[in-house]
Amino acid sequence: MLSHKDGPLGTSTLTFRGLHVLVIRGLHALTFRGLHVLTFRGLHVLTFKGLHVLAFRGIHVLAFRGLHALAFRGLRVLTFRGLYVLAMRRLHALTFIGLHALTFRGLDFLAFRGLQFLTFRGLHVLAFRGLHVLTFRGLHILTFRGLHVLAFRGLHVLAIRGLQAPTFIGLHVLTFRGLHVLAFRGLHVLTIRGLHALTFIRLHALTFRGLHVLTFRGLRVLTFRGLHVLAFRGLHVLTFKGLHAPAFRGPYVLTFRGLHVLAFGGLHAVAVRGLHVLAFRGLHVLTFRGLYVLTIKGLHAITYIGLHTLTFRGLDFLAFRGLDVLAFRGLDVPAFEGLHALAFKGLHVLAFRGLHALTFKGQHVLDFERLHAPSPLDGYTSSFSVGSISTP
């Protein structure tokens, strides 16, 4: 049954089959089967089976089975079973079971189980379990467990546990525990523990603890503790503590503390402290402090302080201080200061200051004053004076 009642001060109530309405000085209240509605001076409240709604001067609030929502002048807030959402003047934020997301004026941020991601006006940042990545206007940076990588306008840099490897427009550089490597347009440079190595087109250079090696288009140079070696187009030069050994297309030359050696096409020459030795195709020559020795094809000649000797195919000759001796196939001819002697197959002849002596097969002729043998100039005549003839 409908019931209506006006009370004092403008109060009125209405009830009808479970519906209750109350109006008092701008306040309106209604209840019906669990529904409750209230309005008062711009405030509106509604509740129904766990649903709650409130509105007041631009504020709107809603709650229903764990869902909560709020709106106020562009601000929006919502929560539901771990989900949180916020929106306000270009700012948007969301969180849900460890997931966090935010956007604001071009800034975007997301975080989820250790993963963080941010973007802002061309800037991108990512972080996840020790991995960090950043990109901005062509700049790229990555770090992960001691690994660092950077890339920017042709520049690339890598660093990990003491290893650094930058590259820039064809330039490559690497450093690691004292090792340094550089490469640029055919140029390669390496240094490690005192070792330096360089290559450029056809040039190769190496230095290590006093050792220097260089090669370039057939040129090879080596230096080590006073040792110098050079090789170029058939020319070879070696120097070491006063030792010099040049060679060029066959000629080999060596000099060392007064020692000089030359070898070329079968020619060998040595000079040291006044000693000179030469050998060439069977010819051998030696000179030393007045001593001269020559040998060639069976000929042997020696001179030394006035002594002269010669041997050739059975011929032997000796000269020393006025003494001259010749021997050939049984013929012996000594001579000494006017004394001349000849011996040949039993014939012996001696001549000394006009004295002549001859022996032949046991026959002796002595005291010849003059002996003249026949010749084409004086006919077949000979005259001599006989001193004595003796028979054995």
Side-chain angles (χ1 to χ4, degrees):
M1 177 175 285
L2 175 63
S3 171
H4 180 269
K5 180 180 180 182
D6 293 321
L9 300 178
T11 302
S12 62
T13 60
L14 183 149
T15 62
F16 178 72
R17 294 181 179 180
L19 170 65
H20 301 274
V21 178
L22 171 73
V23 178
I24 179 173
R25 293 184 180 180
L27 170 67
H28 302 269
L30 180 150
T31 64
F32 180 69
R33 296 180 181 178
L35 169 64
H36 302 273
V37 179
L38 182 147
T39 65
F40 179 70
R41 295 181 181 178
L43 169 66
H44 303 274
V45 178
L46 181 149
T47 65
F48 180 68
K49 295 181 179 180
L51 170 64
H52 303 274
V53 179
L54 181 148
F56 180 69
R57 294 180 180 178
I59 299 177
H60 301 272
V61 179
L62 181 148
F64 180 67
R65 295 180 181 177
L67 170 65
H68 302 271
L70 180 147
F72 178 68
R73 294 180 181 178
L75 169 65
R76 307 282 190 272
V77 179
L78 182 148
T79 67
F80 180 66
R81 295 181 181 177
L83 170 65
Y84 300 87
V85 180
L86 181 147
M88 178 181 179
R89 294 181 182 178
R90 300 181 185 178
L91 170 65
H92 302 271
L94 178 149
T95 66
F96 180 66
I97 309 174
L99 170 66
H100 303 274
L102 182 147
T103 64
F104 179 68
R105 293 182 178 178
L107 169 67
D108 298 283
F109 175 78
L110 183 146
F112 180 66
R113 294 182 180 177
L115 169 67
Q116 284 93 29
F117 182 75
L118 180 147
T119 65
F120 181 66
R121 295 179 181 177
L123 170 67
H124 303 271
V125 180
L126 181 147
F128 181 65
R129 295 181 181 177
L131 170 66
H132 301 270
V133 180
L134 180 149
T135 65
F136 181 67
R137 294 180 181 178
L139 170 66
H140 304 271
I141 300 176
L142 180 149
T143 66
F144 181 65
R145 294 181 181 176
L147 169 67
H148 303 271
V149 180
L150 180 147
F152 181 66
R153 294 181 180 176
L155 171 64
H156 302 269
V157 180
L158 182 147
I160 178 172
R161 295 178 182 176
L163 168 67
Q164 284 91 27
T167 66
F168 181 67
I169 307 176
L171 170 65
H172 303 271
V173 180
L174 183 147
T175 64
F176 180 65
R177 295 180 181 176
L179 168 67
H180 303 271
V181 180
L182 181 147
F184 180 67
R185 293 181 181 177
L187 170 65
H188 301 269
V189 180
L190 180 148
T191 66
I192 178 173
R193 295 179 182 176
L195 169 67
H196 304 271
L198 179 148
T199 65
F200 181 65
I201 303 175
R202 296 183 183 178
L203 171 66
H204 303 271
L206 181 146
T207 64
F208 181 65
R209 295 181 180 176
L211 169 67
H212 303 271
V213 180
L214 182 146
T215 64
F216 180 67
R217 292 183 177 177
L219 169 66
R220 293 175 175 78
V221 180
L222 181 148
T223 65
F224 182 65
R225 296 180 181 176
L227 169 66
H228 303 271
V229 180
L230 180 147
F232 182 66
R233 293 181 180 177
L235 170 64
H236 302 269
V237 180
L238 182 147
T239 63
F240 181 66
K241 295 180 179 178
L243 168 66
H244 303 272
F248 181 68
R249 291 182 179 174
Y252 298 91
V253 180
L254 183 146
T255 62
F256 180 64
R257 295 181 181 176
L259 169 65
H260 303 271
V261 180
L262 182 145
F264 178 64
L267 170 66
H268 300 272
V270 178
V272 55
R273 295 179 182 176
L275 170 65
H276 301 270
V277 180
L278 183 145
F280 181 66
R281 295 181 181 177
L283 169 66
H284 300 271
V285 179
L286 181 147
T287 65
F288 181 65
R289 295 180 182 177
L291 170 65
Y292 299 87
V293 180
L294 181 147
T295 65
I296 179 172
K297 295 180 179 180
L299 170 64
H300 302 273
I302 299 176
T303 66
Y304 181 66
I305 310 176
L307 169 66
H308 304 273
T309 66
L310 184 146
T311 63
F312 181 65
R313 295 180 181 177
L315 171 65
D316 298 283
F317 175 77
L318 181 145
F320 181 66
R321 294 181 181 177
L323 170 63
D324 300 285
V325 179
L326 185 146
F328 180 67
R329 295 180 181 177
L331 169 65
D332 299 289
V333 185
F336 180 68
E337 295 183 357
L339 171 62
H340 302 272
L342 182 149
F344 181 66
K345 294 182 180 181
L347 171 64
H348 301 271
V349 179
L350 185 146
F352 181 67
R353 294 179 182 178
L355 172 63
H356 304 272
L358 182 149
T359 64
F360 182 67
K361 294 182 179 181
Q363 298 295 321
H364 301 274
V365 179
L366 303 174
D367 301 329
F368 281 73
E369 294 179 357
R370 185 167 67 91
L371 174 63
H372 186 77
S375 71
L377 298 177
D378 56 8
Y380 294 96
T381 64
S382 65
S383 61
F384 56 90
S385 174
V386 179
S388 63
I389 300 176
S390 63
T391 59

